[in-house]
Amino acid sequence: MLPSAHRMRHGSEFSTAVRKGRRAGRQTLVIHLNRTGSDPASPARVGFVVSKAVGPAVVRNRVKRQLRHITRERLAALPSGALVVVRANPAAAGSPNLAADFDSALSSALRNSSGGGASGRRPGGPRG
């Protein structure tokens, strides 16, 4: 289980991370990472979203436990004060690649949130 200081508890934290954070998706999960707008002196906080599309309650709870375990081992890699939401896709149920997808998405989200470009737009995207 994650230490209590690292858990998200309020819907507003989830909303902030999803709306204002950087998104990195893989087949089994999507990570939303928001480094700004939170107290840099506080520890990173993590929340999980596992919808009914993933499966019945037993499967959803198993996926949540796996994600908590994976995240706990990687807390040191998260920037202080960051808000992180990990959303499981239906492919997460029974996937042997969950940890690899988590690492890949987290490194991508960290890269994207460290500056990237002045406009924040994707190259080749709509202008104006």
Side-chain angles (χ1 to χ4, degrees):
M1 187 170 267
L2 285 175
S4 62
H6 292 281
R7 287 188 230 146
M8 278 193 200
R9 289 191 171 76
H10 305 286
S12 61
E13 293 174 325
F14 282 85
S15 296
T16 300
V18 171
R19 288 186 186 147
K20 297 181 180 178
R22 295 295 182 160
R23 177 186 174 278
R26 297 297 177 266
Q27 182 181 6
T28 58
L29 54 83
V30 176
I31 292 181
H32 299 271
L33 174 70
N34 183 16
R35 291 178 130 170
T36 59
S38 56
D39 181 15
S42 66
R45 289 190 305 270
V46 183
F48 302 97
V49 177
V50 183
S51 74
K52 288 185 178 182
V54 173
V58 172
V59 174
R60 293 193 310 268
N61 287 326
R62 184 181 311 123
V63 169
K64 275 189 274 190
R65 283 193 307 270
Q66 290 171 334
L67 289 172
R68 280 194 302 261
H69 179 76
I70 291 166
T71 304
R72 183 177 56 240
E73 294 175 344
R74 292 152 179 85
L75 281 175
L78 298 175
S80 305
L83 297 176
V84 181
V85 172
V86 181
R87 183 170 46 91
N89 291 334
S95 173
N97 301 326
L98 199 56
D101 282 354
F102 184 94
D103 290 336
S104 174
L106 180 60
S107 65
S108 179
L110 288 169
R111 260 193 324 273
N112 291 340
S113 70
S114 63
S119 69
R121 279 186 260 151
R122 289 186 200 155
R127 302 188 191 275

